[in-house]
């Protein structure tokens, strides 16, 4: 089936991860906590979409024990400020679905996680990412030309899962002068499970000085050569974006335009190939 | 192609020209008076001014207009004197023309008009047949008449010489009255058309000028040449009927429209006979609908019929000037004109915009489409061109200078009073007028104040006739005469009626629909392209139609390609869906989709020009907001050049929903802070009234939900009333009066309360009184909702039926003709037989509907004799012409008359209001102070409809209606009253002076005596408001005054200090906060009349404040902030997290304030 590039945007936006939330066994409950099942949007943030989860478990947890909710997968506290899809691809891409996430109301891991007292914190984080991305792409010219309500539209689009609303505005952030062939720099972040660094983020142009379009392979070669297989060697790492593995020859500019998250960053997860 | 000009006249009679190279209508500032019509040629423009005289504007050029006068001096020889002026009795005159038959002494030569001047004195022509004579120019002959030679011979008995003098036409680039006819014309001119410059090979300057008089006669101006641009005299052209309008093309085409609706074609026009010989009659394009207008060019004829349809005449040419048949064209026009190269211009009947016919070529004379000319006028306060630099600041109507009273405004303020009673409050603002503080334009603003809603011509006419001496006593008596018919002249209630009619100046269809989004686009009355040299190839910059940047749904779509990497992505995404979603579709979605979507079709007043109603799909999506409250987004889906687009607004950003009912549209306006700044709301119209009410109620609920507002207004609430009588209430936040950063007042959220009032006043313990259009007093019951708000959004108790009444006026217009005298055969091109006050719209007894579907008739039409200027016994007012000054008796110069008919209508609605019979009120005021307990008596003062001052006894929070009235004696009727927090009572008397009431206290609630306080110099005060200590007044010229020197020991104060102009009404609150209704406020897209403004920088030590902040507006009439005693927080820290515009207002309906006012 021949599809349209616009459908890619739609597929990316409507990506969902089936998730099963289980209450941490250490939590003191008044009765047994049923697991809670949800389809989480890949492009959203955990704390933005788990109000229902919180309410569900609040019913059974002793109220005086309730602190800020946090989530964990197989011992890894999940950072709410990473997109949900990134958390999944990074930590759980080879798990059996649904993704099983443990819910905590005690012992908030302050060293690992940021607090998230309200949605306005998520909004601030989201908007700062967009601004950072536009600084790379257009020297902030597009985002600064927008009005406050336009910013609001981007955020409301994400918060309410309104694809049309979001893209009506985000479209402007994805424009570039035809003669330049792409953005100034590609806003990207490369996450690796095997690294202590949270992610790699450097300046990288979509077009080479010779005028060739840079590819995903070009980016990795420069930023994360370990992710690439050596000649004749078996593939050790998979390079995952939105749960898929694009070919290394895919133009980076196209990826940035079509497979970026709503925060306008291309989030690339490099994980070890699972050993069978 | 050289630059040339398109000429036009707007409905106010101002003349503008638009250059083919320009993008601005430039006002012809030279025009001292207003014009009715203009007709242009390339070298000049003719016009009929409002004084019914014809004026000529000759454009300056390199070729001066000079005329050589000559005369001959004749002498005869005799033996004694030699050559001398002693001639024989049989000889010619001593000074004569060349033939000797005409006596022509030097001092018989006069310049034909003031437009000419002599270039020098007379001199003898030294030359003869091209050679110098060297003898003083004498030439010799044997006898008269004979052959002259330059040499004197032995037999030379007579001699003569030529004297020359040049006169020059000096009135270049200015409107100059053409010399009057020797025999005065019987009646004024009503139409004019020039052309004919291509009939013969005369050098540029020869013109045919045709004119029509009010009685339907046609006149031809003889003798217009380059050296005689004014022509010589009018020649009466015999006619088979009465003509109403005429059009003359550049060549030999002349068509006219007859009274009965047929057309006439002038035949026999040729180079030797430019005025033609006979008339041929052509039937109207539509046998049922007569023609009203015709326009001819070189080879084209266009016509309009009474239904404003446009027609094109086929087969017209020099040999067949009658053509062969009519073709119906698209468009509805009230006026049409053919310019050079057969290019066509029209004025739209709905929007009164000038349209240019695009695509007219010699092979396609009917053109392709109408295109509105969208360029702004110079002097426009704002316009739609993209240049941001031209946008004025919102404060441009405020200035520090005292607005002076002029003779004109004097007359008008008298005129307006009598007749606004009953408030023909059809429309709010949208007067396209801009004004600056120069006397000339100020008067044209003032003219818009009159209820007569006449064009400024009327005023100018008045000035012309009255400037010489004192005002005609008839005018100064108007006040008294009116006083008998209407017990009360003025007062707050009537003042609001005045402002209503001020805003109702524009009674055009467009404006009637448009009270809340004032459209500043010019309204044109006449256009002439006779001097405008364009053709189908011309590059014109007249159509830079502003297209709003709209969010398009278009995403950049690149064609699908087959590259492996792309295929891989598509395939993998598809696999991902199967893997991650398909098996889990039964799972709950993390983000709830819109809880509820309501969709419908509506019409939207589109944002780009030309503005018009277009069909749109409308949807309200409601969902649970981030903090648990309900929220929503409304979407308007529309087509833009066949592309689907949408516009949206977040419910939590909507600041007000305003119903805009009239007889043709069930519409409402939606404002956000941004839209308020633009003065350009989203305007929507539903198909039926019921549908509109459903939407309004739903949207209103949604807005209140998102802001967590429910129940009755708080005691601190700010109340306001629109010119339609709709009541709105806003909950003030503590930061509203914060220093130094109060929350902007365009972010205030207003919700509607049922009922219909003209005035509402409150205080901070929750006592609220209102006054209806019929002067009935009402007290607020503590409920909410009513009107269109039912169910959950309305309280079940405390809602009562409310009835209000007012009058609607129409005018019957007649024209005099010599056969039957005054008859209903009016001038269709000038004015309808039955019209509104402006004459621009047909309003008959049968087609006139009540102002909106809410109103129903309660009486039949009756002649209204209480019109300013007086009437005769049948109610007629007479004038020389429409529109002019009317008087109540007929004179020989009067050719038109009109009379006003009134019909009462009634509105029935519901709201939280209970009537307080039986006394009718015009103003009311309540002590702005917190009562200590529910039984404490709260002072309440009022002015009765007759001007009596009243004091209400027994008013407490438990019994807000009080028990009885106490009459407070005065020497004269009063019109406005206000009581301050320390029981200081101030009032305005009918003569415009102020009074302070002494010794008012709980023990002596009515005080003991009045202290007279003179008004500011030369100003008549009309309204007063007293806060904690501040005393503010507004005068009839819109100036706001602050009372200086008020102290506890000297409460009357010492002097008035001018604070601002551009003010209609003031409300001073218990914190001494100052709020006004501003006359005009300019937004980035439009201007609004009747706008809520907040005085910034008011502090205890600085009670006068510094500047204005602009809030909701466009049709607002009244505001009271006297309930808001909520002290601002001492230190105001801007919130770090919540963005200001969305910050929800604080909890409502809470007893926030116990000790607010130190009273």
């Amino acid at each position: 089936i021949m599809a349209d590039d616009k459908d890619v945007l739609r597929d990316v936006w409507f990506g969902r991860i089936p998730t099963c939330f289980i209450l941490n066994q250490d939590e003191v409950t008044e009765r047994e906590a049923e697991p809670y099942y949800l389809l989480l949007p890949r492009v959203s943030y955990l704390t933005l979409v788990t109000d229902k989860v919180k309410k569900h478990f609040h019913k059974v947890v002793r109220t005086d024990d309730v602190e800020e909710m946090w989530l964990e997968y197989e011992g890894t506290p999940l950072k709410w400020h990473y997109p949900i899809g990134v958390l999944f691809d990074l930590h759980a891409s080879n798990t059996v679905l649904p993704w099983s996430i443990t819910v905590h109301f005690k012992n908030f891991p302050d060293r690992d996680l940021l607090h998230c007292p309200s949605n306005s914190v998520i909004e601030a984080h989201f908007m700062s990412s967009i601004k950072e991305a536009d600084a790379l792409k257009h020297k902030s010219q597009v985002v600064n030309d927008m009005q406050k309500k336009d910013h609001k539209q981007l955020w409301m689009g994400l918060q309410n899962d309104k694809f049309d609303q979001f893209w009506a505005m985000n479209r402007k952030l994805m424009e570039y002068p035809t003669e330049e062939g792409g953005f100034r720099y590609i806003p990207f972040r490369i996450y690796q499970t095997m690294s202590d660094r949270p992610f790699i983020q450097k300046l990288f142009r979509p077009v080479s000085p010779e005028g060739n379009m840079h590819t995903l392979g070009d980016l990795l070669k420069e930023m994360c050569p370990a992710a690439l297989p050596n000649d004749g060697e078996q593939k050790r790492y998979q390079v995952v974006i939105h749960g898929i593995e694009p070919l290394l020859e895919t133009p980076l500019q196209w990826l940035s335009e079509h497979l970026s998250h709503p925060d306008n960053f291309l989030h690339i997860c490099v994980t070890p190939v699972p050993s069978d | 192609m050289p630059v040339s000009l398109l000429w036009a006249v707007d409905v106010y009679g101002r003349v503008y020209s638009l250059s083919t190279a320009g993008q601005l209508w430039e006002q012809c500032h030279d025009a001292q008076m207003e014009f009715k019509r203009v007709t242009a040629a390339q070298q000049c423009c003719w016009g009929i001014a409002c004084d019914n005289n014809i004026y000529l504007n000759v454009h300056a050029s390199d070729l001066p207009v000079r005329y050589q006068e000559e005369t001959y001096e004749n002498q005869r020889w005799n033996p004694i004197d030699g050559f001398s002026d002693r001639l024989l009795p049989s000889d010619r005159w001593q000074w004569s023309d060349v033939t000797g038959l005409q006596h022509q002494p030097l001092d018989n030569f006069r310049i034909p008009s003031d437009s000419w001047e002599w270039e020098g004195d007379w001199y003898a022509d030294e030359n003869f047949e091209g050679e110098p004579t060297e003898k003083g120019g004498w030439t010799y002959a044997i006898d008269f008449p004979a052959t002259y030679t330059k040499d004197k011979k032995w037999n030379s008995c007579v001699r003569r010489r030529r004297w020359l003098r040049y006169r020059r036409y000096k009135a270049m680039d200015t409107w100059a009255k053409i010399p009057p006819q020797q025999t005065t014309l019987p009646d004024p001119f009503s139409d004019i058309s020039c052309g004919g410059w291509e009939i013969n090979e005369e050098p540029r300057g020869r013109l045919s000028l045709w004119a029509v008089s009010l009685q339907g006669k046609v006149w031809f101006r003889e003798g217009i040449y380059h050296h005689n641009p004014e022509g010589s005299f009018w020649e009466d052209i015999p006619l088979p009927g009465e003509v109403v309008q005429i059009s003359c093309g550049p060549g030999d085409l002349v068509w006219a429209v007859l009274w009965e609706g047929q057309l006439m074609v002038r035949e026999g026009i040729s180079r030797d006979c430019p005025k033609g010989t006979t008339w041929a009659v052509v039937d109207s394009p539509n046998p049922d609908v007569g023609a009203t207008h015709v326009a001819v060019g070189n080879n084209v004829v266009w016509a309009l019929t009474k239904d404003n349809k446009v027609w094109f005449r086929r087969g017209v040419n020099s040999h067949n000037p009658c053509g062969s048949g009519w073709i119906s064209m698209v468009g509805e026009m009230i006026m049409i004109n053919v310019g050079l190269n057969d290019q066509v211009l029209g004025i739209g009947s709905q929007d009164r915009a000038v349209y240019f016919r695009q695509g007219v070529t010699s092979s396609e004379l009917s053109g392709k489409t109408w295109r509105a000319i969208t360029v702004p006028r110079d002097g426009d306060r704002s316009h739609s061109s993209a240049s941001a630099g031209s946008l004025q600041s919102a404060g441009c109507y405020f200035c520090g200078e005292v607005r002076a009273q002029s003779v004109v405004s004097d007359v008008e303020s008298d005129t307006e009073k009598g007749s606004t009673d009953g408030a023909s409050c059809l429309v709010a603002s949208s007067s396209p007028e801009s004004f600056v503080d120069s006397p000339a334009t100020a008067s044209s603003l003032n003219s818009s104040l009159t209820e007569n809603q006449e064009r400024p011509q009327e005023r100018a006419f008045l000035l012309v006739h009255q400037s010489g001496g004192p005002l005609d006593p008839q005018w100064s008596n108007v006040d008294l005469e009116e006083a008998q018919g209407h017990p009360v002249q003025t007062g707050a209630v009537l003042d609001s009626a005045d402002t209503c009619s001020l805003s109702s100046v524009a009674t055009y269809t467009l404006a009637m629909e448009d009270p809340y989004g004032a459209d500043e686009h010019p309204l044109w009355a006449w256009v002439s392209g006779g001097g405008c040299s364009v053709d189908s190839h011309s590059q014109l910059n007249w159509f830079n139609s502003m297209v709003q940047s709209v969010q398009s749904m278009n995403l950049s779509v690149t064609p699908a390609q087959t590259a492996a990497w792309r295929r891989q992505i598509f395939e993998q995404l598809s696999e991902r869906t199967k893997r991650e979603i398909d098996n889990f579709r039964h799972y709950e979605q993390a983000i709830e989709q819109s809880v509820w979507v309501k969709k419908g079709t509506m019409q939207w007043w589109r944002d780009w020009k030309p503005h018009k109603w277009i069909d749109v799909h409308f949807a309200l999506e409601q969902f649970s907001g981030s903090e648990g409250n309900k929220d929503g987004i409304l979407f308007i889906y529309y087509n833009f050049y066949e592309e689907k687009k949408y516009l949206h607004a977040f419910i939590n950003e909507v600041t007000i929903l305003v119903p805009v009912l009239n007889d043709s549209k069930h519409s409402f306006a939606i404002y956000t802070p941004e839209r308020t700044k633009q003065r350009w709301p989203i305007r929507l119209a539903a198909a039926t009234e019921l549908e509109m009410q459903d939407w309004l109620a739903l949207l209103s609920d949604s807005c209140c939900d998102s802001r967590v507002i429910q129940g009755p207004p708080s005691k601190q609430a700010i109340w306001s009333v629109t010119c339609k009588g709709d009541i709105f209430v806003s909950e003030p936040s503590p930061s509203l009066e914060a220093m130094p950063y109060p929350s902007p007042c365009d972010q205030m959220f207003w919700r509607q309360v049922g009922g219909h009032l003209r005035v509402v006043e409150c205080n901070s313990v929750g006592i609220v009184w209102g006054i209806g259009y019929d002067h009935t007093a009402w007290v607020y019951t503590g409920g909410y909702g009513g009107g269109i708000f039912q169910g959950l959004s309305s309280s079940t108790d405390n809602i009562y039926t409310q009835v209000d009444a007012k009058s609607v006026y129409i005018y019957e217009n007649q024209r005099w003709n010599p056969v039957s005298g005054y008859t209903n055969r009016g001038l269709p091109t000038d004015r309808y037989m039955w019209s509104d006050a402006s004459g621009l719209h047909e309003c008959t007894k049968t087609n006139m509907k009540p102002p909106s579907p809410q109103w129903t008739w309660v009486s039949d039409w009756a002649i209204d004799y209480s019109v300013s200027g007086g009437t005769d016994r049948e109610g007629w007012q007479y004038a020389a012409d429409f529109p002019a000054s009317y008087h109540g008796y007929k004179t020989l110069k009067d050719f038109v008359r009109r009379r006003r008919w009134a019909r009462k209508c009634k509105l029935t609605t519901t709201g939280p209001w209970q009537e307080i019979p039986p006394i009718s009120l015009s103003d009311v005021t309540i002590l702005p102070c917190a009562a200590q307990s529910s039984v404490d008596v709260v002072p309440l003062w009022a002015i009765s409809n007759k001007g009596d001052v009243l004091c209400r006894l027994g008013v407490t929070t438990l019994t807000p209606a009080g028990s009885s009235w106490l009459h407070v004696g005065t020497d004269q009727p009063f019109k406005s009253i206000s009581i301050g927090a320390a029981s200081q009572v101030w009032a305005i008397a009918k003569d415009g002076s102020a009074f302070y009431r002494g010794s008012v206290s709980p023990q002596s609630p009515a005080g003991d005596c009045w202290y007279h306080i003179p008004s500011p110099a030369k100003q008549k005060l009309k309204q007063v408001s007293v806060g904690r200590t501040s005393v503010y007044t507004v005068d009839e010229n819109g100036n706001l005054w602050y009372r200086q020197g008020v102290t506890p020991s000297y409460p009357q104060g010492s002097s008035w200090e001018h604070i601002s102009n551009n003010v209609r009404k003031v409300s001073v609150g218990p914190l001494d906060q100052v709020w006004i209704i501003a006359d005009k406020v300019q937004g980035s897209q439009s201007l609004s009349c009747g706008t809520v403004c907040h005085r910034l920088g008011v502090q205890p030590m600085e009670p006068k404040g510094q500047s204005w902040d602009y809030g909701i507006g466009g049709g607002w009439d009244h505001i009271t902030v006297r309930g808001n005693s909520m002290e601002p927080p001492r230190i105001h820290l801007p919130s770090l997290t919540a963005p200001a515009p969305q910050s929800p207002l604080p909890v409502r309906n809470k007893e926030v304030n116990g000790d607010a006012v130190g009273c």
Side-chain angles (χ1 to χ4, degrees), chain B residues 31 81 88 101 285 287 313 344 413 507 511 609 649 734 756 804 882 943 960 1008 1025-1026 1043 1089 1124:
Chain B
D81 306 312
L88 296 175
L101 301 173
R313 186 76 176 170
V344 185
S413 54
T507 44
K609 292 193 173 189
H756 189 268
D804 208 349
F882 297 120
I943 308 280
D1008 58 4
S1025 188
V1026 187
R1043 189 65 182 172
C1089 299
N1124 184 19

Side-chain angles (χ1 to χ4, degrees), chain A residues 100-132:
Chain A
S100 184
I101 292 180
T102 308
V103 177
H104 295 259
F105 286 102
K106 284 193 299 196
N107 305 322
F108 192 92
D110 290 296
R111 296 180 56 182
D112 299 314
L113 299 184
L114 297 171
H115 285 277
C116 180
S118 78
N119 286 352
S120 57
V121 177
I122 313 172
E123 181 181 354
H125 166 72
F126 173 70
M127 288 314 301
S128 73
S129 293
I130 285 192
K131 286 172 188 168
E132 187 181 350

Side-chain angles (χ1 to χ4, degrees), chain A residues 2-232:
Chain A
M2 233 37 242
D4 188 303
D5 282 359
K6 198 171 152 183
D7 295 336
V8 174
L9 302 178
R10 215 165 251 290
D11 280 355
V12 164
W13 182 273
F14 290 105
R16 295 286 186 268
I17 297 168
T19 311
C20 172
F21 290 92
I22 299 160
L23 189 64
N24 174 28
Q25 289 173 340
D26 296 346
E27 301 283 341
V28 183
T29 59
E30 287 162 340
R31 53 195 153 90
E32 199 187 339
E34 295 281 330
Y36 195 76
Y37 298 92
L38 268 187
L39 279 173
L40 298 182
R42 273 179 161 272
V43 297
S44 192
Y45 299 93
L46 278 174
T47 42
L48 188 59
V49 295
T50 50
D51 264 357
K52 290 173 179 180
V53 176
K54 191 158 63 182
K55 276 183 191 150
H56 173 79
F57 291 112
H58 270 184
K59 285 184 225 155
V60 295
V61 178
R62 275 237 314 268
T63 42
D64 46 340
D65 283 342
V66 173
E67 292 166 25
E68 185 174 343
M69 183 178 78
W70 59 280
L71 305 169
E72 160 254 314
Y73 171 69
E74 290 188 346
T76 309
L78 296 173
K79 293 180 166 62
W80 65 261
H81 62 287
Y82 287 4
I84 291 167
V86 171
L87 292 170
F88 179 80
D89 293 341
L90 197 59
H91 303 300
S93 58
N94 300 306
T95 188
V96 176
L97 292 173
W99 184 21
S100 184
I101 292 180
T102 308
V103 177
H104 295 259
F105 286 102
K106 284 193 299 196
N107 305 322
F108 192 92
D110 290 296
R111 296 180 56 182
D112 299 314
L113 299 184
L114 297 171
H115 285 277
C116 180
S118 78
N119 286 352
S120 57
V121 177
I122 313 172
E123 181 181 354
H125 166 72
F126 173 70
M127 288 314 301
S128 73
S129 293
I130 285 192
K131 286 172 188 168
E132 187 181 350
D134 199 53
L136 295 168
K137 289 197 280 191
H138 309 108
K139 295 184 177 174
S140 298
Q141 276 162 359
V142 179
V143 78
N144 287 346
D145 278 355
M146 288 182 174
Q147 295 176 328
K148 192 161 192 163
K149 76 172 177 95
D150 300 336
H151 293 169
K152 202 79 189 166
Q153 181 172 345
L154 290 167
W155 167 244
M156 294 286 271
L158 177 72
Q159 178 180 275
N160 299 315
D161 193 22
K162 298 287 179 198
F163 172 80
D164 289 342
Q165 181 186 334
F166 175 83
W167 268 99
M169 194 51 62
N170 198 52
R171 175 176 66 88
K172 297 185 185 170
L173 294 166
M174 290 299 174
E175 287 167 356
Y176 55 87
T178 332
E179 64 275 13
E180 311 218 333
F183 303 134
R184 243 173 110 247
Y185 297 103
I186 298 290
F188 72 93
R189 282 171 188 171
I190 299 173
Y191 302 82
Q192 293 163 285
T193 40
M194 58 285 188
S195 165
D196 287 341
R197 295 171 64 183
F199 49 75
I200 300 166
Q201 179 183 336
K202 289 179 182 168
L203 295 182
F204 193 79
R205 291 192 187 267
V207 185
S208 72
E210 297 77 38
N212 300 321
M213 295 301 288
H214 276 141
T215 64
L216 178 61
D218 296 334
L219 176 77
L220 291 169
K221 199 154 136 197
E222 184 157 341
M223 302 293 162
C224 185
L228 299 176
N230 294 323
D231 287 340

Side-chain angles (χ1 to χ4, degrees), chain B residues 467-723:
Chain B
S467 55
L471 285 175
D472 186 322
Q474 184 204 348
W475 285 96
S476 47
N477 283 339
V478 168
D479 235 0
L480 297 173
E481 285 171 14
E482 297 297 314
Q484 290 153 14
H486 302 276
V488 132
Q489 280 299 305
T490 49
V493 170
L494 266 176
D495 289 339
S496 62
D498 298 344
T499 57
C500 268
S501 54
L502 177 146
S503 33
S504 66
V505 62
T507 44
Y508 324 105
T509 324
L510 176 86
M512 289 178 80
E513 292 174 351
D514 194 28
Y516 297 103
D519 185 359
E520 84 291 5
H521 101 79
L523 302 166
W524 296 107
W526 203 258
V527 63
S528 176
C532 178
S533 183
V534 294
D535 60 28
S536 55
H537 308 297
S538 301
Q539 292 291 319
L540 294 172
N541 300 316
W542 295 348
F543 316 105
N544 51 340
S545 63
M546 173 197 62
V547 176
Q548 303 257 297
S549 69
V550 278
Q551 284 106 45
S552 115
M553 289 295 297
N554 278 358
L555 302 169
S556 57
V557 177
T558 50
Q561 291 171 22
T562 50
W565 57 265
R566 182 181 267 110
R567 223 169 37 231
Q568 161 99 347
I569 284 171
F570 288 153
E571 282 167 10
Q572 288 202 4
L573 280 172
S574 168
E575 275 169 30
R576 189 191 76 169
T577 304
K578 279 183 204 143
R579 185 173 71 237
E580 296 181 353
I581 302 179
D582 281 356
N583 290 328
F584 302 95
R585 294 219 180 259
H586 55 288
Y587 277 30
E588 192 181 342
Q589 290 282 352
I591 301 175
E592 292 289 335
Q593 282 305 295
S594 301
V595 176
W596 192 66
V597 181
K598 185 176 158 98
K599 291 182 177 171
T601 52
M602 282 211 237
Q603 285 192 305
W604 173 51
W605 186 250
R606 69 183 193 190
D607 279 350
W608 67 90
K609 292 193 173 189
H611 301 300
K612 62 178 187 185
W613 291 103
I614 58 170
D615 291 329
V616 294
H617 289 280
F618 187 78
L620 171 65
E621 295 194 9
Q622 284 185 295
F623 46 83
S624 294
S626 48
E627 311 300 332
N629 54 324
K630 270 210 254 170
D631 211 337
I633 307 176
L634 54 89
F635 292 91
I636 295 158
Y637 299 94
Y638 60 94
N639 285 317
F640 183 75
Y641 294 113
E642 292 169 12
E643 199 181 329
K644 286 196 164 80
K645 301 209 170 196
Y646 74 85
L647 178 100
H648 71 278
F650 297 112
I651 284 293
N652 63 16
E653 288 180 344
V654 171
T655 53
I656 190 168
L657 303 154
V658 191
V660 192
L661 277 173
N662 61 39
D663 59 352
S664 57
K665 285 277 178 215
H666 313 281
S667 68
F668 57 95
I670 300 172
Y671 283 90
T672 60
E674 197 183 341
R675 292 267 173 181
T676 301
K677 285 190 183 76
Q678 294 170 348
R679 304 282 152 204
W680 187 264
I682 300 169
R683 297 190 46 213
L684 294 159
T688 66
E689 190 188 357
L690 196 68
E691 223 175 276
M692 186 207 92
Q693 291 177 355
D694 282 352
W695 274 113
L696 258 190
L698 174 70
L699 289 169
S700 173
D701 275 356
S702 185
C703 289
C704 289
D705 279 347
S706 81
R707 291 172 185 261
V708 203
I709 292 174
Q710 56 185 2
S714 74
K715 292 169 181 174
Q716 269 68 41
I718 296 173
W719 296 72
S720 68
V721 179
T722 69
C723 64

Side-chain angles (χ1 to χ4, degrees), chain B residues 854-907:
Chain B
Q854 297 174 291
W855 295 87
T856 51
W857 297 122
V858 290
S859 74
D860 207 346
W861 288 106
I863 295 168
D864 184 1
Y865 298 94
S866 60
V867 185
S868 65
T871 70
D872 69 6
R873 281 188 302 171
E874 291 177 304
W876 292 105
Q877 295 182 289
Y878 297 82
D881 188 12
F882 297 120
S885 73
Y886 297 92
H887 36 259
Y889 49 88
K890 184 182 164 11
T891 70
L892 278 176
K893 285 182 177 172
D894 292 325
F895 289 93
V896 299
R897 64 178 187 179
R898 70 169 190 185
R899 61 179 167 184
R900 187 161 87 163
W901 293 73
R903 191 174 189 186
K904 266 220 154 108
C905 57
K906 186 184 81 171
L907 168 147

